[in-house]
Amino acid sequence: MSTDDATTVANDRLVDREDMIVCVDVDKWYGDFQALNGVTATIKEGEVAVVCGPSGSGKSTWIRCINRLEVHQAGDIFVDGIELSNDLRNIEKIRSEVGMVFQQFNLFPHLTVLDNITLAPIWVRKKPRAEAETAARALLDRVGIPEQAEKFPGQLSGGQQQRVAIARSLAMEPRVMLFDEPTSALDPEMIKEVLDVMKELARSGITMMVVTHEMGFAREVADRIIFMEGGEIVEVGTPEHFFTNPTEDRTKLFMSQIL
Amino acid sequence: MASNPPPSMHHERPPLYRDVTVVKWVVQVIALLMVLGTLWFLAGQAGDNLRASNVPTDYDFLSVNPGIDLSSGIDTDPDTGGRALWVGMVNTLRMAAAGIVVATLFGLLVGLSRLSNNWLLRKLGSVYVESLRNVPLLVQILFYGAVFASLDRVTKDVGPINGWFHISNKGLSMPRVHIADGFYQWVVVLIIGLVFANLMRKRRNAQQDATGAETYPLLSAFGVVVFFAIVGWFIHPIFGFIGNIFDGAASAISALPENVLQLLIAGGSLGAAAYWIRGFLNSRRTPAGLARLTDDDYFRMIFAAAGGLLGALFFLVLWPGLSSWFINSGSDFFEVLGNKFGGGRSGRPVDVALPEIVQSGKFPNYGPSGLNFSIGFAAVFFGVVFYTAAFIAEIVRGGILAVPKGQTEAAAALGLRRSTALRRVIIPQAARVMLPPLGNQYLNLTKNTSLAIAVGYSDIVQVGQTVYNQTGKTLPVVSIWMFFYLSCSLSISVIVNFFNVRMRIVER
């Protein structure tokens, strides 16, 4: 572990905040392959944490463990004080507090943009349709595509689809947002529009955990950068620390390759 | 005005034999005429040859008593050949309809079990599919037939519940619910109930949308229908006046003058052509006015006009009997309705008849009062259902596997329960993939019921074969078979396509 321990706080503004995501010694195997090896980290409420590292380093696996899309085999994960265990009630509670945005958007192609966004509020939160639709239109406004509400996902560009996906997650009013390489499937000119939405979101004070290769984004909005390799957390620190003098050799190598 | 284009830009018409549009249309018209001519020639030749070798091609047998008994159906002792074939058709349709419903449900179960996490269910599903779809259907039907034929012989007290439910080597016999005198008036009440149920469903849906509270729209609509059914049971005689309305319609139709109707039909043909041409012109119109029509467009309009004219001539000259047919069958139809719905029929809507076992000759048998399923029916039914279900199971499995894993993950990440995700996200998408091959299986099932001949179930093929063995009218019977199966298949295709189009995913 580096100079800056993963469980300590990077940014002064977060010192008094409560712990939102706590991972203690999380292990995960696929057959013989160990994808996560003793991952320990704490994300504070309102923190923006960027997870980076080479492909196959376990970033996506880790973030997918946090809302139980993957099942970790050892260690403990707590989200907002709720333990992620085999208890179905806990899983449901955590999933309704944690929003997730995928690399491939995963919008529902048979539903309009509006129906995509209102589906979960209506069927999980039991909201009246009219109320859910008003909220959905407000969210579409927030991500900058209010005019696309009646269209189907197949009629939108990649960047627009990803913004709908963000709006869809936000509709559940989550306290934590997980982003799993949200811009990796996009054309360069569409990356900016998605990143702009994410920056706005970061400033709004929601807890965010972002797996990405967009180091510009990390430098601008991240409170902390977590660098992973081979299923382990190698180094944790502020963006400034990472961009000026990373401690570990592997981090230096990685930063030199992507900058 | 714009200046004149340079000389090279003038549209110079090529000679007709080099004009793409003209050549295209001329070639198509010639090809059409050649095909029609060939068919005409072949049909004439076939007719001549058949006449020369004395093969009968007439349909007289339809109105002659064939002197045959059928093993099962709405009328086991038909008095004309047409009636016999009709009974066969009803049997085939019954078998196909029941088979499609049960095979779909069963196939769904097997398909889902092959995807289950439960090892035993998964293996059972695999064994079922692999064994059933790899044995010819005919063998399976014969097998079931042999199994059912080995049941106890029918006697007065064969059981298991005498007087209510019998199982024997003659098949199954159970109480039958049948239409009684007051049925049609009761249906009127039911239809009114359906209207109210629909209103109720819409209201409840709106309520659910407005408040978010679960209002069970379908359940309450069903409740309304049940309420009307119960009330209608007692008050249906007051709807006898509906019969008078139908009687009035019947007499109004028979009062129509034939010649006027003939002219109307011919006019309809011309009108249809005119309507099409008008719509076509409108579709070519730009906001600024009439757009330039291409040569293709002129050809199309000429053909439409010629078609309308030919149709009018056809109805006026070649088929003058059409109007009287319209008048007769129309007034007959409404007369029948008037009779069915008419007053003075105030009995119960439906009645129940208990099964009975009669002994007219040497051996006892099931009487006609109960609802009887022969072992032939059972053998064919289980045969086509189990066989088709194996294929449907694979279609279901494929359809669900075809929905990307990301969809399930996205639904889970949003906090949707597994059942909600299935209903709202997975199944709507899987259904799109499943529908076309499912339609194929429905067609196969319908056509496969013709194997009923192997166990003597009176489907259309078995009845038809008996009829032509008696009368020698092979070709006419075969033509009726072909026409019947073609109509069934096309109807199924139309229904499946309708849903297919409705569920298409919008892209771009």
Side-chain angles (χ1 to χ4, degrees), chain B residues 162-178:
Chain B
N162 285 314
W164 286 88
F165 188 64
H166 305 282
I167 299 176
S168 73
N169 67 343
K170 291 285 180 188
L172 212 74
S173 186
M174 58 182 104
R176 178 162 62 136
V177 179
H178 61 87

Side-chain angles (χ1 to χ4, degrees), chain B residues 159-408:
Chain B
I161 312 172
N162 285 314
W164 286 88
F165 188 64
H166 305 282
I167 299 176
S168 73
N169 67 343
K170 291 285 180 188
L172 212 74
S173 186
M174 58 182 104
R176 178 162 62 136
V177 179
H178 61 87
I179 291 172
D181 268 353
F183 180 75
Y184 291 93
Q185 287 98 323
W186 186 59
V187 166
V188 174
V189 185
L190 271 191
I191 290 171
I192 297 171
L194 278 178
V195 172
F196 276 101
N198 195 30
L199 285 178
M200 172 66 108
R201 188 182 59 85
K202 279 187 182 152
R203 227 188 82 132
R204 286 288 175 111
N205 263 335
Q207 219 172 347
Q208 182 163 354
D209 285 350
T211 61
E214 193 81 61
T215 55
Y216 306 103
L218 282 181
L219 205 65
S220 40
F222 181 71
V224 171
V225 174
V226 169
F227 174 77
F228 270 82
I230 294 172
V231 171
W233 192 272
F234 300 104
I235 64 150
H236 67 266
I238 61 171
F239 284 93
F241 70 89
I242 300 275
N244 300 338
I245 297 176
F246 286 123
D247 284 337
S251 45
I253 288 179
S254 57
L256 278 177
E258 263 183 44
N259 293 337
V260 174
L261 188 63
Q262 197 75 29
L263 283 175
L264 277 178
I265 294 171
S269 172
L270 285 178
Y275 181 79
W276 187 87
I277 290 175
R278 212 181 113 224
F280 182 74
L281 279 177
N282 274 338
S283 74
R284 287 289 184 273
R285 204 188 294 274
T286 57
L290 202 59
R292 234 176 79 103
L293 291 169
T294 63
D295 294 346
D296 259 354
D297 298 343
Y298 283 114
F299 269 107
R300 284 194 189 117
M301 287 194 293
I302 290 168
F303 271 91
L309 212 58
L310 277 179
L313 281 176
F314 175 76
F315 289 127
L316 280 179
V317 181
L318 283 178
W319 196 6
L322 182 63
S323 61
S324 62
W325 182 83
F326 257 128
I327 289 170
N328 287 338
S329 50
S331 68
D332 279 358
F333 176 70
F334 280 105
E335 223 162 81
V336 169
L337 284 183
N339 193 12
K340 298 257 184 206
F341 282 86
R345 295 166 141 263
S346 48
R348 268 181 296 180
V350 292
D351 254 329
V352 177
L354 293 181
E356 53 176 1
I357 293 170
V358 295
Q359 185 164 6
S360 52
K362 200 171 170 208
F363 299 108
N365 200 351
Y366 294 142
S369 64
L371 180 60
N372 304 333
F373 292 103
S374 62
I375 56 168
F377 180 92
V380 179
F381 180 76
F382 287 121
V384 293
V385 162
F386 288 152
Y387 182 73
T388 313
F391 290 93
I392 291 180
E394 286 298 272
I395 292 169
V396 169
R397 191 168 72 104
I400 289 179
L401 288 180
V403 179
K405 201 161 162 262
Q407 296 287 311
T408 319

